[in-house]
């Protein structure tokens, strides 16, 4: 692995690692966050497509790429909701764990991954490690019935959100598009969800997010997501880091997202909770490494 490939591979560490913290810091409702983030992603994707001369796909490929973006944005709305319930430092490791579980199980069931008995054994153990790691990151030294109830609700919401993240990853597999070709139509699907969600809430009596300035401040956070997505697509190419190594490097973002949430958003943990949280993050990263190398 050369230095350039490594630097590109660590792009998602910065982009996806800082994205939830920046979005939480800017504030607003989940609808403001998803609307601004998706607009920022679309602007980034349009500039990239023009610079690279990538044409918008058509037909079947366009539809499935847009569905992919719809899946991500729908799941991200739920993730933003979880942030408001328990904070990004608790929600991020859990949603990362669900995404790893979903990607691994989809690979085994639909794509024929882990074909040997040994692979299934090591893969199964890795999935158990992911669950244990996620559990450790949300452990509380001082039990509180109200906080425990919110945490259970947040975990259930994040489990539902995994359906959207699964669609984000799985839908492009039904196309002949490369990751870079799918980037712009995915962003279109994301923006569509943001606009529809804003209109839906407005019809229910809430203020229209399209008219709120805070929505457009979230364009800044969307640029971080787009940067991470693009550098991951480049990193995963065979002549760079490859899919397996690129995926492992991208998962390091959960560490930065969790720690910056604690340090910069006032999501306090005791010293014992911090040690256990770090242990949980290490287990998740180890398990992620195992799932893509077996």
């Amino acid at each position: 692995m050369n230095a350039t490939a490594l630097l590109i591979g660590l792009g998602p560490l910065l982009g996806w690692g800082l994205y939830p913290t920046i979005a939480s810091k800017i504030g607003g409702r989940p609808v403001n966050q998803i609307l601004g983030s998706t607009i920022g992603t679309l602007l980034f994707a349009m500039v990239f497509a023009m610079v690279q001369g990538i044409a918008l796909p058509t037909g079947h490929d366009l539809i499935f790429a847009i569905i992919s973006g719809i899946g991500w944005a729908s799941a991200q709305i739920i993730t933003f909701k979880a942030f408001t319930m328990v904070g990004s430092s608790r929600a991020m490791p859990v949603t990362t764990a669900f995404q790893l579980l979903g990607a691994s199980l989809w690979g085994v069931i639909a794509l024929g991954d882990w074909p040997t008995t040994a692979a299934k054994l090591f893969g199964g153990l890795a999935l158990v490690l992911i669950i244990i790691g996620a559990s450790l990151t949300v452990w509380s030294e001082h039990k509180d019935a109200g906080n425990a109830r919110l945490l259970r609700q947040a975990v259930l919401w994040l489990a539902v959100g995994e359906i959207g993240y699964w669609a984000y990853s799985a839908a492009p597999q039904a196309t002949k598009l490369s990751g870079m070709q799918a980037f712009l139509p995915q962003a279109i699907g994301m923006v569509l969800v943001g606009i529809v969600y804003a209109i839906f809430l407005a019809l229910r009596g809430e203020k229209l997010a399209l008219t709120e300035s805070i929505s457009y401040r979230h364009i800044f956070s969307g640029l971080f997501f787009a940067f991470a997505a693009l550098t991951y697509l480049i990193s995963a190419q065979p002549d760079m880091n490859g899919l397996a190594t690129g995926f492992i490097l991208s998962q390091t973002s959960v560490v930065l997202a969790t720690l910056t949430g604690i340090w910069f958003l006032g999501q306090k943990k005791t010293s014992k909770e911090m040690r256990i949280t770090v242990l949980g993050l290490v287990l998740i990263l180890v398990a992620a490494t195992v799932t893509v190398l077996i």
Side-chain angles (χ1 to χ4, degrees), residues 198-282:
I199 294 173
F200 171 75
L201 291 181
L203 292 174
R204 295 184 59 184
E206 295 190 27
K207 188 171 182 179
L208 181 62
L210 287 162
T211 65
E212 294 181 288
S213 62
I214 193 169
S215 296
Y216 300 98
R217 291 203 291 272
H218 276 285
I219 290 175
F220 180 67
S221 63
L223 297 178
F224 278 80
F225 169 81
F227 171 77
L230 180 59
T231 51
Y232 171 66
L233 293 173
I234 297 173
S235 172
Q237 293 181 353
D239 58 344
M240 295 299 290
N241 296 307
L243 182 60
T245 302
F247 180 78
I248 295 168
L249 290 172
S250 74
Q251 295 309 299
T252 58
S253 61
V254 68
V255 177
L256 186 60
T258 302
L259 296 181
T260 54
I262 294 169
W263 294 334
F264 300 119
L265 298 177
Q267 299 169 8
K268 303 297 183 184
K269 288 180 179 282
T270 66
S271 58
K272 187 173 183 180
E273 288 172 345
M274 274 297 298
R275 291 195 298 270
I276 292 177
T277 293
V278 171
L279 175 60
L281 293 173
V282 170

Side-chain angles (χ1 to χ4, degrees), residues 186-204:
Q186 283 174 335
I188 292 172
M190 294 173 187
V191 168
L192 288 175
V193 170
I195 293 173
V196 169
Y197 185 48
I199 294 173
F200 171 75
L201 291 181
L203 292 174
R204 295 184 59 184

Side-chain angles (χ1 to χ4, degrees), residues 101-141:
L101 289 170
S104 299
L105 292 174
W106 172 252
V108 172
I109 296 170
L111 305 179
D113 294 345
W114 306 353
T116 67
T117 301
K120 287 184 173 64
L121 175 62
F122 282 108
L125 291 174
L127 297 185
V128 171
L129 277 183
I130 290 171
I131 295 171
I132 294 173
S135 300
L136 292 177
T137 63
V138 297
W139 180 82
S140 296
E141 185 174 5

